Amino acid sequence: VTEPVESMALQVPRALAVSVLALGLDFGIYALCILVGMPALLAALIGYLAGGVLQYVLCSVWVFSTSLKNDALGFVAFSVLSLVGLAITEVVILVVHDWAGIHPYPAKLAAVGLAFSWNFLSRKYLLFRAA
């Protein structure tokens, strides 16, 4: 139960669980930043980055069985792939909140599914794949 796995059937629910934890951190920081008057795009950036660090650690030790040989290089690669997820998040918030005028919380939630899909698939097939 605590060891990483190779089967996608087991990786997807684990990745979802990790994403829920990272999203909790991400959204908590996002909400706190919004409450103190920070612009939604900046709040989304800060929250996303904090959640990304948590997600990297948990994906490395629990979700994917193929660990990276160089943790520093692995974190950089993970972060570069996560930048696409961040771009997805930022564009959705820009369109839904800034342009359409919808509250920032639903705007953030609208980005979650798209960003999760990108993040999981890019990590599975580009980062944590067997050599």
Side-chain angles (χ1 to χ4, degrees):
V1 172
T2 60
E3 295 296 317
V5 293
E6 186 61 36
S7 164
M8 187 184 278
L10 295 174
Q11 287 174 339
V12 169
R14 285 182 178 200
L16 282 169
V18 165
S19 291
V20 167
L21 291 173
L23 178 62
L25 179 62
D26 175 351
F27 199 86
I29 290 171
Y30 176 76
L32 181 62
C33 290
I34 294 292
L35 287 173
V36 299
M38 189 176 289
L41 288 174
L42 182 57
L45 173 67
I46 294 168
Y48 190 92
L49 293 175
V53 170
L54 177 62
Q55 201 162 41
Y56 171 75
V57 170
L58 294 176
C59 281
S60 296
V61 300
W62 189 56
V63 177
F64 297 107
S65 63
T66 307
S67 64
L68 302 168
K69 291 180 178 45
N70 181 329
D71 289 336
L73 181 60
F75 182 73
V76 169
F78 186 94
S79 297
V80 168
L81 292 173
S82 293
L83 288 175
V84 176
L86 175 59
I88 291 167
T89 299
E90 293 286 311
V91 167
V92 171
I93 289 173
L94 179 69
V95 170
V96 175
H97 172 63
D98 291 3
W99 295 351
I102 295 173
H103 192 274
Y105 297 163
K108 174 72 172 172
L109 292 175
V112 168
L114 291 172
F116 171 81
S117 297
W118 163 258
N119 287 335
F120 175 79
L121 293 172
S122 67
R123 290 165 188 159
K124 168 83 176 153
Y125 293 110
L126 299 176
L127 189 59
F128 294 104
R129 62 177 160 62

